[in-house]
Amino acid sequence: MIAKVIVDVPVKGTNRPFDYEVPARYVSWVEVGSRVAVPFGPRVVQGFVVDLAEEPSEDAAGSGSRKLKTVDHVLDVEPPLTPELVELAQWMSRTYLCHLSVALAAMLPAALKAKAERRVGIGPEALRDGGLAEYGLMTTEETELLEHIRRSKGMLPVEQLLERFPGSEALLRQWVRQGILAEEQVLKDRMNVKKVLTVFACLSPEEMLLRGQELPASAKRQRQVLEYVADHPDPIRLTELTSLLDVTAGTVKGLADKGLVRLEEVEVGRDPYADRSFKRTSPLPLTVEQSQVFSNICRAVKSATHTMFLLHGVTGSGKTEVYMQSIQTCLDEGKEAIVLVPEISLTPQMVERFKGRFGADVAVLHSRLSNGERYDEWRKISAGRVRVVIGARSAAFAPFKKLGLVIIDEEHESSYKQEESPKYHAREVAAARGRASGASVVLGSATPSLESWQAAVQGKYKLLVMAERVEGRPLPPVRIVDMRQELYGGNRSMFSKPLFEGIKSRLEKGEQSVLLLNRRGYSTFVMCRSCGYTAGCPHCDISLTYHQTSSMMRCHYCGYTERQPAVCPECGSEHIRYFGTGTQRVEEELAKLFPGIRVIRMDVDTTTEKGAHEKLLTQFRQKKGDVLLGTQMVAKGLDFPDVTLVGVITADTMLNLPDFRSSERTFQLLTQVAGRAGRHHLPGEVFVQTYTPEHYSVTAAGGHDFHRFAEQELEHRVRGGYPPFCRLILITLSHTELALLVKTSEAMVNRLKALAREEGIPGFIEEAGGAQKRALDVLGPVASPIPRIKDRYRFQCMVKYRGDQPASDLVAQAVEAFDEVCRQTKLTISVDVDPQVLM
Ligand SMILES: Nc1ncnc2c1ncn2[C@@H]1O[C@H](COP(=O)(O)OP(=O)(O)OP(=O)(O)O)[C@@H](O)[C@H]1O
Ligand SMILES: [Zn+2]
Ligand SMILES: [Zn+2]
């Protein structure tokens, strides 16, 4: 049998399967989706089986005159990937122009990345009579090392030997060459399943007691153990048993040697939620709107017809309840379900709601898990021990075999797009899985992305609507406060009069407030007040970020670090300093305005530690804070009954970013954060402070009016020729030499245009005509918004294309044409299909 293997070595020339002979002993074991160790050049590497065949293909590597190489060993008992996922990886590789091995590896937890381990043992020369003598006398150290290897009888990991005999690397190498040592390479996973020694009873309790009495009087301890095990026949961990009875492990091993008990390594899961119990909840009776949505989803799930639903439900309309009941239907059909939520809203509250409904049937995958925990959660899915998974983006790859439903909550979130290769969008991945498996996909949001909205308008997605909050609770009234007026009125504080009064009255009533500072860490740089100089990275065109704990300035892109200057390097002024993050300054001002106020601040500074995010939210829920103050993090998915005020300090900071999605992001953020107020019995109120109160993203958010926003924004997008009316592929080139970079970037654009013309892309017009009329347009090259990172200049070009005909193939061809240039000059080209960030 021949296995077609994608080797996990993502370099040029390996983006295709290689043929390997499967040895007879593995024939029944190797399947599509198996992970195998295969020889590749001088090394043994990890690979994925993507196909099986009887005969090697004609052009296969190693076929013809050369002998086929053989699969070295199989890495897992069960294949970690399913044939469906292998297919999906192929689709990803084509769609997002990434290496197939990168797509395959992205589907597995990091723990399943095997790495080669070198081992040595005694070789033929050392065994030959007088063999060693020929190599002359050895020093004591050398003799000791060789003795150590000889005594261990098997193969020893080189790494382990070097720990014990530091500096012997060269010697080991020499001995391997001389045949004194034999060498082998094996692939080992970085992470192993956690196993503990467990004691099992081998005989019936009666027999055990009998045998206990036969033991000599001196074996008092052993008898004690036997009696205990006879009384408690369930398997028990060795450590637990020894500490319980205060005996040594040796005592128990003695019994095992006599065949009375059995010691075995048993796999234990690292369950991050093991010490938590979740209150079980039952389905709520649905509202009229909820049940309409629910029955639509059920119909698709029951008939296993793949449907893409867009659920537009206002904040607090009870989308989560609909998700859960739909999932229940899916489980009742014997199928499995995936729930995707943005990383940031994968809060304990969200987990609790699903664990509370589905109990041990739920696995949770998020980035705050350790590699080991993540691996164990993943194994629960892979082994079919759970039927629901809730997780961030990568949970879209959960290795379910009977997928029935995928839910994507807050589908508009840009974090569903992965920024590094493979640069996939979870929404598209879910759709592709749905097409392959018949599963339906529900995209839920109070503020759908315009891409999804347009798809619903065109009938590609089925639109479901929930326009009311449950139990007729009103959406909170939003008051837009013009900060220019405040300034004219003499108020220089960052709090307007109405917001100040609002917070004050909440403090008096013992209710809670959420305050949002709409900023993405732009204010953490060091600036000179006299001349405006800001400290920038010498290797990247970006400001350095100030870190308060160490008073160092650091570059986020390359890690360059320097101390904060005492005087301005430009003008010599001493007024150069760090002016505090936005949130810190808001916190200080709050303390000044409301003495004794308890502020819980949630931003990058306060949430770096593991579990910090969770801790702060719990504190807030337990009412240990009057105000929850933070960045974007406070806007998503929180549901606190006593929050009756939401304040946005400055609504428009994002509007000025050079990104065609900036209005959309502003509208989404304002609407989402406004939705945190008055979700339960107490009515809520929202204040949005802004310098551009007339902007439609602000006014539409003020009226909770998605439709008005969408209408206006779509008009802008049509005129500008932006998604959803076209699709984009961003190609970024980078090199240390500007001249070469510019030249190559221009050549790239020309190449793309030529290819489009050659392929006769319908209606491709090079120069004339409006953008909308063109089926494919190549823009650029221009310098990237961040023009230099790590001393490499960056240029970008953009392919805009219309219609359903994907342009990926064309871009792939163009990029391939530059393979040789890239190899020779170390120029890099990266491609981002459907980019979310245009940096
Ligand atoms: N049918 C129902 N009857 C009573 N209460 C309900 C019902 N459905 C949902 N709820 C409650 O309404 C509140 C809001 O629901 P939920 O959090 O699911 O809204 P959502 O649409 O997901 O909101 P958001 O988009 O703001 O996160 C929750 O406290 C939930 O328990
Ligand atoms: Zn200065
Ligand atoms: Zn830098």
Side-chain angles (χ1 to χ4, degrees):
M1 188 166 69
I2 304 297
K4 312 246 167 216
V5 176
I6 297 291
V7 292
D8 195 4
V9 185
V11 294
K12 299 248 150 67
T14 60
N15 201 16
R16 63 180 180 91
F18 290 87
D19 282 3
Y20 287 90
E21 176 87 51
V22 180
R25 65 183 182 285
Y26 289 138
V27 163
S28 62
W29 194 355
V30 171
E31 293 172 42
V32 170
S34 289
R35 208 162 48 111
V36 290
V38 290
F40 189 73
R43 296 186 292 157
V44 176
V45 300
Q46 164 174 296
F48 301 96
V49 178
V50 294
D51 205 357
L52 295 169
E54 290 305 319
E55 299 291 324
S57 43
E58 288 295 308
D59 60 340
S63 71
S65 57
R66 275 196 287 146
K67 211 170 149 284
L68 262 192
K69 288 186 177 170
T70 308
V71 167
D72 195 89
H73 57 283
V74 186
L75 286 164
D76 315 87
V77 179
E78 289 291 328
L81 294 166
T82 61
E84 186 226 319
L85 287 174
V86 168
E87 186 99 356
L88 184 70
Q90 276 156 350
W91 169 85
M92 268 167 69
S93 163
R94 284 193 306 273
T95 309
Y96 297 107
L97 306 191
C98 63
H99 208 281
L100 194 46
S101 72
V102 173
L104 288 160
M107 299 178 164
L108 297 176
L112 285 186
K113 182 148 179 78
K115 127 179 153 214
E117 182 181 86
R118 280 172 54 217
R119 298 181 181 178
V120 290
I122 291 300
E125 279 300 294
L127 297 172
R128 194 163 61 83
D129 275 345
L132 278 181
E134 285 168 30
Y135 298 97
L137 282 179
M138 287 187 179
T139 64
T140 343
E141 287 81 27
E142 289 173 1
T143 318
E144 202 183 315
L145 173 57
L146 197 61
E147 258 316 294
H148 178 78
I149 300 172
R150 196 199 297 275
R151 263 200 314 274
S152 72
K153 293 207 176 81
M155 302 296 280
L156 280 176
V158 170
E159 232 164 84
Q160 203 178 309
L161 274 174
L162 291 180
E163 245 165 57
R164 219 181 134 144
F165 300 92
S168 52
E169 169 94 70
L171 184 63
L172 289 174
R173 229 177 267 229
Q174 182 196 326
W175 283 350
V176 168
R177 264 199 311 273
Q178 292 170 339
I180 296 174
L181 294 181
E183 188 188 29
E184 69 174 17
Q185 278 188 61
V186 282
L187 280 195
K188 277 193 61 181
D189 279 328
R190 278 155 213 230
M191 187 70 52
N192 290 312
V193 282
K194 193 169 155 193
K195 287 183 177 164
V196 293
L197 270 178
T198 306
V199 184
F200 291 81
C202 289
L203 308 165
S204 70
E206 296 75 28
E207 264 182 294
M208 271 214 261
L209 289 174
L210 271 176
R211 298 287 290 272
Q213 268 140 36
E214 291 166 10
L215 288 174
S218 59
K220 202 175 97 213
R221 296 271 188 208
Q222 289 196 351
R223 189 158 348 133
Q224 198 187 342
V225 173
L226 267 192
E227 281 164 8
Y228 181 88
V229 175
D231 277 351
H232 308 82
D234 283 341
I236 180 170
R237 290 187 186 186
L238 178 63
T239 49
E240 205 179 319
L241 186 65
T242 52
S243 74
L244 205 66
L245 303 180
D246 196 22
V247 297
T248 63
T251 308
V252 183
K253 291 213 176 86
L255 287 171
D257 290 343
K258 295 193 174 85
L260 300 175
V261 298
R262 185 160 49 86
L263 273 173
E264 207 175 278
E265 293 215 306
V266 171
E267 186 181 317
V268 288
R270 282 155 285 220
D271 182 352
Y273 297 94
D275 55 343
R276 295 253 297 272
S277 63
F278 294 92
K279 207 163 100 231
R280 281 310 273 250
T281 63
S282 19
L284 299 170
L286 296 178
T287 64
V288 175
E289 278 189 331
Q290 280 177 324
S291 39
Q292 269 164 5
V293 170
F294 173 65
S295 61
N296 268 292
I297 299 172
C298 281
R299 217 174 303 133
V301 169
K302 283 187 176 158
S303 63
T305 10
H306 163 66
T307 313
M308 294 290 293
F309 292 104
L310 175 62
L311 169 53
H312 177 216
V314 298
T315 55
S317 57
K319 295 187 285 292
T320 313
E321 185 62 34
V322 173
Y323 299 155
M324 292 194 292
Q325 297 199 18
S326 307
I327 292 169
Q328 189 58 56
T329 305
C330 174
L331 301 187
D332 293 344
E333 292 291 309
K335 301 265 182 73
E336 297 146 331
I338 297 174
V339 185
L340 300 185
V341 296
E343 182 66 53
I344 205 165
S345 58
L346 193 50
T347 54
Q349 206 176 5
M350 197 70 177
V351 173
E352 204 171 320
R353 285 171 91 169
F354 282 86
K355 285 252 180 189
R357 189 64 59 85
F358 301 106
D361 234 351
V362 183
V364 183
L365 292 173
H366 59 72
S367 65
R368 293 181 302 280
L369 297 179
S370 70
N371 274 351
E373 287 170 340
R374 214 181 149 72
Y375 177 43
D376 289 342
E377 290 294 293
W378 180 87
R379 283 175 52 80
K380 284 190 201 164
I381 305 164
S382 176
R385 278 182 277 139
V386 293
R387 295 183 297 165
V388 180
V389 56
I390 173 166
R393 186 173 62 214
S394 65
F397 302 120
F400 281 137
K401 297 187 181 82
K402 293 170 292 175
L403 188 63
L405 184 62
V406 183
I407 308 266
I408 305 187
D409 191 30
E410 314 280 6
E411 69 89 28
H412 61 276
E413 274 289 315
S414 57
S415 65
Y416 284 125
K417 179 79 191 319
Q418 174 148 304
E419 295 300 335
E420 60 279 357
S421 189
K423 300 181 181 182
Y424 66 90
H425 198 298
R427 191 202 296 138
E428 303 304 321
V429 169
R433 282 195 84 170
R435 286 192 296 270
S437 64
S440 285
V441 179
V442 178
L443 309 171
S445 176
T447 53
S449 66
L450 289 170
E451 283 87 348
S452 298
W453 182 250
Q454 184 68 7
V457 168
Q458 293 174 337
K460 287 182 202 149
Y461 295 176
K462 186 165 170 46
L463 183 63
L464 305 171
V465 180
M466 300 200 310
E468 306 276 326
R469 280 190 163 181
V470 287
E471 295 182 349
R473 288 167 204 156
L475 282 163
V478 179
R479 174 144 172 209
I480 293 168
V481 184
D482 185 345
M483 290 306 272
R484 296 169 307 189
Q485 293 298 332
E486 288 285 316
L487 202 61
Y488 295 144
N491 180 3
R492 301 186 149 269
S493 139
M494 55 179 96
F495 289 95
S496 61
K497 195 100 189 22
L499 180 55
F500 173 84
E501 294 296 338
I503 299 173
K504 191 160 152 243
S505 82
R506 294 316 179 292
L507 286 174
E508 284 159 5
K509 286 189 280 188
E511 293 170 7
Q512 292 178 299
S513 306
V514 169
L515 293 180
L516 168 82
L517 188 77
N518 181 9
R519 288 222 162 155
R520 283 176 200 260
Y522 282 107
S523 55
T524 55
F525 48 79
V526 169
M527 192 176 87
C528 170
R529 271 278 155 113
S530 306
C531 73
Y533 163 87
T534 52
C537 174
H539 307 288
C540 312
D541 290 328
I542 198 97
S543 322
L544 293 171
T545 303
Y546 183 72
H547 287 255
Q548 211 167 23
T549 36
S550 55
S551 39
M552 298 294 268
M553 305 185 300
R554 201 177 138 82
C555 172
H556 267 315
Y557 285 92
C558 71
Y560 169 85
T561 310
E562 72 176 49
R563 195 162 289 287
Q564 176 184 4
V567 295
C568 172
E570 288 285 307
C571 74
S573 160
E574 283 171 16
H575 296 287
I576 179 162
R577 63 183 176 92
Y578 166 65
F579 287 92
T581 61
T583 36
Q584 262 169 335
R585 275 183 290 152
V586 178
E587 187 180 19
E588 283 160 23
E589 181 132 350
L590 277 170
K592 241 183 276 163
L593 294 173
F594 308 100
I597 192 171
R598 296 168 307 160
V599 178
I600 294 177
R601 179 160 64 92
M602 206 159 86
D603 57 21
V604 278
D605 282 343
T606 62
T607 52
T608 41
E609 245 172 77
K610 191 179 171 183
H613 188 238
E614 183 163 346
K615 212 166 73 199
L616 294 174
L617 289 178
T618 309
Q619 283 173 7
F620 190 60
R621 186 178 345 194
Q622 292 167 342
K623 298 201 73 174
K624 289 183 183 153
D626 305 306
V627 170
L628 177 65
L629 162 68
T631 48
Q632 272 76 357
M633 293 178 205
V634 302
K636 317 274 159 66
L638 307 180
D639 190 27
F640 297 115
D642 288 325
V643 172
T644 59
L645 180 143
V646 165
V648 179
I649 310 284
T650 33
D652 21 30
T653 34
M654 269 195 309
L655 284 176
N656 307 317
L657 297 181
D659 185 332
F660 71 90
R661 285 195 183 88
S662 62
S663 300
E664 185 179 359
R665 300 237 186 283
T666 300
F667 172 78
Q668 286 164 348
L669 185 65
L670 295 181
T671 310
Q672 294 290 342
V673 73
R676 298 312 110 207
R679 292 169 69 87
H680 293 255
H681 299 292
L682 299 167
E685 201 181 5
V686 181
F687 295 93
V688 175
Q689 305 190 144
T690 171
Y691 291 92
T692 47
E694 64 289 339
H695 195 279
Y696 63 96
S697 63
V698 177
T699 55
H704 303 283
D705 194 345
F706 174 77
H707 294 263
R708 185 149 60 87
F709 170 75
E711 205 175 293
Q712 297 227 13
E713 180 66 11
L714 287 175
E715 250 174 58
H716 283 272
R717 301 280 180 94
V718 170
R719 241 180 290 134
Y722 281 115
F725 298 102
C726 65
R727 295 181 76 171
L728 303 177
I729 298 180
L730 178 69
I731 305 165
T732 304
L733 298 91
S734 85
H735 198 269
T736 48
E737 272 170 53
L738 193 55
L740 174 75
L741 180 63
V742 173
K743 207 180 86 201
T744 319
S745 303
E746 274 163 3
M748 171 66 83
V749 168
N750 291 335
R751 184 87 198 183
L752 284 162
K753 286 183 175 168
L755 277 170
R757 222 177 296 121
E758 256 170 51
E759 305 244 318
I761 299 275
F764 176 76
I765 308 164
E766 200 170 334
E767 300 298 336
Q772 293 167 57
K773 299 224 172 55
R774 304 180 191 186
L776 189 142
D777 210 356
V778 187
L779 308 178
V782 293
S784 299
I786 300 175
R788 192 173 51 123
I789 291 180
K790 294 187 196 173
D791 290 321
R792 297 176 73 89
Y793 293 98
R794 306 168 77 236
F795 259 66
Q796 61 183 32
C797 34
M798 181 86 86
V799 176
K800 269 189 184 186
Y801 61 102
R802 296 196 312 142
D804 298 327
Q805 164 192 10
S808 293
D809 279 356
L810 185 119
V811 174
Q813 276 182 54
V815 171
E816 230 176 79
F818 289 84
D819 273 1
E820 195 50 33
V821 177
C822 288
R823 217 176 45 78
Q824 282 176 4
T825 65
K826 301 233 155 58
L827 185 126
T828 58
I829 302 177
S830 86
V831 178
D832 191 352
V833 178
D834 300 334
Q836 286 287 316
V837 182
L838 302 180
M839 307 295 238

